[in-house]
Amino acid sequence: MTPSTEHLSTDDIERLGAELEAIRDRVMSSLGDDDARYIRRVIRSQRGFEAAGRILLLGALFPPAFLAGTASLALAKILENMEIGHNVLHGQWDWMRDPEINSTTWEWDHVSTAKSWQQTHNYLHHTYTNVHGKDRDIGYNVLRVDPEQEWHPIYLFQTFTNAGLAMIFEWGIAAFDLELDEIQRGEKTWKDKLPELKKMGRKAGKQALKDFVVFPALSGPSFVPALVGSVLANIIRNVWSHAVIFCGHFPVEVETFDEERLENESQAEWYVRQMLGSANIDGSVLLHVMTGNLSHQIEHHLFPDMPSRRYRTIAPEIRDICRRYGLPYHSGPMWKQYGGVLAKIARLSFPGGHQRTMKQRLKALPFGRRRAESLGATATPAAA
């Protein structure tokens, strides 16, 4: 139990879980041609933006071509990583039975191999979301983002560490996916890790060769500005994905949990943990597409294999469930979410932070069952 759930009985939580299951069943059974056309349209658009960016950078000596090419390539990389790659690798489009758009065959435009990323992200992070000692995404082994993490003097510099991580985020994730901390703990040896290191090395080599050698070389006399454009496009993609992911996981209101939380955890309790451990970003449809619909991080964590375009259609229902059961539904504009995350990282670079963090989390809570009843609803779902 936590302050956010202490007003709920076991039966309440199970009824909440049943409501969420009903939403999932309804949406997944309604998938069809409109959804398939959507993802294929996004893929065509992404490839068009990438082709335009590469072609424009052939003439990168001319400033307009340099700017337009860099912007188009950055947009293509954001779309590929966020709305396409991330979601395809979650299996969101496997129901189409398309051999290309499938979680078992897709290899994304990212330094991490699809398989290594699926292990650390799909399995570890989504199963053990925000559980200390189980979810390695809490701080990515380099940042203190929760006061329960033991403080170390190296965190004094984490404001700068975080800025550097944002610019090279895909490379940081690739190193993180290797789980080299297993060697530090004596669980594995360098020899054990060698196959993974070779796979990652091959993938990283191909990415670097493509972006920083082959395509810039094709521009001939424009090699240097084309290279700069390609580097900038990658940095823009990295900073954007870093911001989106951090807004979804590290706002101060988002809760973390001890391993005891996992003991005999039911599916309904897992749902509650996902809602308490995630946060959304308010914005337009364009923002949602550009974030890979991770602006609906709560909905994504509830239903990671649901096609991302459906999240915005069920978000009002999820928000209403949280209202009726007296649970927080963390959401806000991007500037507020990201600003709060950066402030939190700066504060937690120093020891302590427990009292301030708890105060802010309690301040963000609704007033439990009494508050829900005063709004004209109870924790009992409507006719289902």
Side-chain angles (χ1 to χ4, degrees):
M1 302 297 291
T2 67
S4 56
T5 59
E6 60 187 8
H7 63 285
L8 295 175
S9 68
T10 300
D11 287 343
D12 291 333
I13 292 175
E14 292 305 312
R15 283 193 291 268
L16 181 154
E19 286 201 61
L20 292 173
E21 286 289 343
I23 291 173
R24 171 183 165 76
D25 291 344
R26 186 190 75 231
V27 172
M28 298 303 278
S29 64
S30 70
L31 300 179
D33 291 342
D34 286 346
D35 300 283
R37 280 193 292 270
Y38 170 80
I39 189 59
R40 291 189 173 112
R41 185 168 64 248
V42 172
I43 291 173
R44 285 196 303 271
S45 299
Q46 184 275 328
R47 290 173 178 172
F49 283 122
E50 181 170 8
R54 301 292 188 189
I55 291 170
L56 285 165
L57 285 176
L58 294 177
L61 279 174
F62 301 97
F66 170 81
L67 292 173
T70 300
S72 186
L73 185 57
L75 176 57
K77 285 181 171 291
I78 288 171
L79 283 174
E80 199 287 328
N81 278 187
M82 307 300 284
E83 182 68 331
I84 304 172
H86 170 273
N87 296 330
V88 170
L89 293 176
H90 263 295
Q92 292 182 8
W93 304 100
D94 287 3
W95 59 271
M96 293 167 53
R97 300 294 188 267
D98 186 318
E100 180 186 6
I101 310 173
N102 192 280
S103 62
T104 62
T105 58
W106 190 273
E107 188 57 70
W108 58 345
D109 182 30
H110 201 281
V111 175
S112 281
T113 65
K115 297 301 181 186
S116 65
W117 183 83
Q118 285 173 318
Q119 163 64 19
T120 58
H121 182 80
N122 291 13
Y123 173 63
L124 290 177
H125 172 58
H126 274 270
T127 302
Y128 304 113
T129 305
N130 285 20
V131 175
H132 287 284
K134 301 292 285 187
D135 183 5
R136 298 174 64 253
D137 281 24
I138 299 178
Y140 293 102
N141 293 336
V142 294
L143 300 173
R144 184 173 182 249
V145 296
D146 189 84
E148 296 305 317
Q149 291 174 264
E150 184 178 355
W151 183 83
H152 188 279
I154 196 171
Y155 292 132
L156 287 170
F157 308 99
Q158 73 174 15
T159 298
F160 304 101
T161 302
N162 183 53
L165 176 63
M167 290 190 288
I168 61 165
F169 196 48
E170 67 166 327
W171 294 86
I173 293 298
F176 176 74
D177 286 348
L178 288 170
E179 300 184 74
L180 296 180
D181 47 312
E182 291 180 328
I183 297 175
Q184 286 182 309
R185 297 195 298 268
E187 297 171 4
K188 290 189 177 181
T189 66
W190 283 104
K191 184 178 180 181
D192 296 329
K193 286 290 180 182
L194 190 58
E196 295 176 57
L197 287 166
K198 287 182 177 179
K199 290 179 183 177
M200 190 72 73
R202 285 194 294 268
K203 179 69 186 297
K206 288 179 181 178
Q207 288 293 113
L209 187 66
K210 176 192 70 175
D211 280 344
F212 309 135
V213 179
V214 174
F215 281 107
L218 292 175
S219 64
S222 296
F223 175 84
V224 172
L227 172 61
V228 172
S230 188
V231 170
L232 285 175
N234 278 275
I235 291 175
I236 292 168
R237 180 270 312 276
N238 289 339
V239 171
W240 176 255
S241 58
H242 172 278
V244 170
I245 291 168
F246 275 48
C247 284
H249 294 98
F250 301 140
V252 69
E253 298 86 2
V254 167
E255 297 184 31
T256 57
F257 312 95
D258 295 327
E259 284 192 54
E260 289 78 6
R261 173 86 179 210
L262 299 175
E263 293 179 9
N264 301 314
E265 184 180 55
S266 69
Q267 180 66 43
E269 290 169 333
W270 182 87
Y271 279 140
V272 171
R273 178 160 56 83
Q274 302 308 310
M275 292 192 287
L276 299 179
S278 307
N280 284 8
I281 304 170
D282 298 334
S284 65
V285 172
L286 178 60
L287 175 79
H288 297 324
V289 173
M290 292 296 291
T291 64
N293 278 286
L294 293 180
S295 48
H296 295 106
Q297 190 72 238
I298 296 171
E299 289 72 25
H300 173 61
H301 265 268
L302 289 172
F303 313 120
D305 61 345
M306 180 182 290
S308 58
R309 72 184 293 260
R310 295 299 193 102
Y311 292 148
R312 63 176 174 267
T313 66
I314 66 170
E317 295 180 79
I318 304 302
R319 185 188 289 268
D320 182 61
I321 286 174
C322 288
R323 178 186 68 83
R324 289 190 287 107
Y325 284 86
L327 293 174
Y329 183 91
H330 304 304
S331 189
M334 192 166 192
W335 65 267
K336 181 179 180 181
Q337 298 290 69
Y338 198 44
V341 168
L342 295 179
K344 177 184 176 183
I345 288 173
R347 168 60 188 90
L348 293 180
S349 63
F350 300 98
H354 297 75
Q355 185 174 2
R356 177 178 173 81
T357 299
M358 182 55 68
K359 182 178 179 180
Q360 288 181 277
R361 287 178 179 172
L362 290 174
K363 186 179 179 181
L365 294 180
F367 295 101
R369 188 188 302 276
R370 183 179 301 171
R371 174 61 172 164
E373 291 174 348
S374 74
L375 290 171
T378 68
T380 303

